[in-house]
Amino acid sequence: MARHFAVTLLLLTVAACGGGEAADSGVGHVEEAADTAPTHLGDCILLDPKGDVPEDVYQHGDVVRTDAMPPFTKELQVYGLKLAARDDISDDYMRLVARTIAESFPRDAGLDADLQRELLANHYRYRALIPVPLGYDYSFMDEADEDWAALERDNSVCDVIMQDVPQGQVMEVVEHILHYVTDIGLHYTFPEVWGIAEDSELAKAMAKAAEEGYYQMDQYADFEDEEVRFRVQMQEFAYWFISTAWNLQAPYGPVWEEEWTIRDQDDLRQKLPEMYAAYEETAARVMVAPSLATLAEIGPTREEERAETE
């Protein structure tokens, strides 16, 4: 299974990076026996809740050692999303990713506190687990195949957040946080809008964006499993949509990328008005963009990256 996970990462890298973007992290492979019911949607999202929801869903811990999740040696729990890493990952990097997550869910009077708590509770219920590898080194999956299989079986493992990618470190963090939030938190909290399902508003908007040429879905055609391919297409579209609504694509996005051609909030509202209205009634009521100060601490803008190479 670990080997399958690495192949999926490679497919996503080739499909989504356009040769210049930092690698898009991937999805696990939860094998099901032919005579048993599926346990995950799209090889990623637990179908039945397995996790306990604490009274305080805003728990924001620090990096702690663990021997309960081999091959990982440390973890950090924040708002129901658990970061898991080995010793080659910086504790400060894990803390910075955690801060980015926390800033995205402020306890603000302008947001819907009840819906926000429900979304975070779903992160706990469906055991969202985010591996944090160093760059493109996924060797730990092959080194601990059985342990990795157990993690995939018992958790929702949909992506990774890499440390030290050569380009696009900011979006490496933002994109893959959003993959977890949309695949799990939004999927279960607002299923009619964000559900990984053919009849959700997200699916309808994705189809329209593909038809109008705003989103190139065919980059993921190499995924043989239709359910996995659909889930990946949906999570990628959701990332493009929300990050554009947050006006982060212009400074931090891969401006050469043809996969997505809408660059700012105004353009998004004009071209996909129905989905934008649905976004305002759902996701925008529970989350916001992380602060520019935190993003600057994560990494440079694309313009700054280009200036560094000139």
Side-chain angles (χ1 to χ4, degrees), residues 98-116:
R99 189 204 310 167
T100 308
I101 294 168
E103 287 184 356
S104 300
F105 297 98
R107 283 179 269 191
D108 187 284
L111 300 178
D112 189 316
D114 291 338
L115 284 175
Q116 187 182 75

Side-chain angles (χ1 to χ4, degrees), residues 157-172:
V157 184
C158 302
D159 244 308
V160 302
I161 298 179
M162 295 182 286
Q163 177 183 336
D164 291 345
V165 297
Q167 289 182 302
Q169 182 68 72
V170 171
M171 281 314 212
E172 171 66 22

Side-chain angles (χ1 to χ4, degrees), residues 5-27 135-136 138 159-160 162 172 175-176 219-220 222-223 232 236 257 259:
F5 185 90
V7 169
T8 305
L9 287 172
L10 178 60
L11 284 172
L12 273 166
T13 299
V14 172
C17 300
E21 172 69 323
D24 193 322
S25 41
V27 293
Y136 306 115
Y138 310 121
D159 244 308
V160 302
M162 295 182 286
E172 171 66 22
E175 175 176 355
H176 300 114
Q219 297 196 66
Y220 304 103
D222 287 339
F223 288 93
V232 170
E236 298 299 326
E257 179 61 75
E259 180 180 339

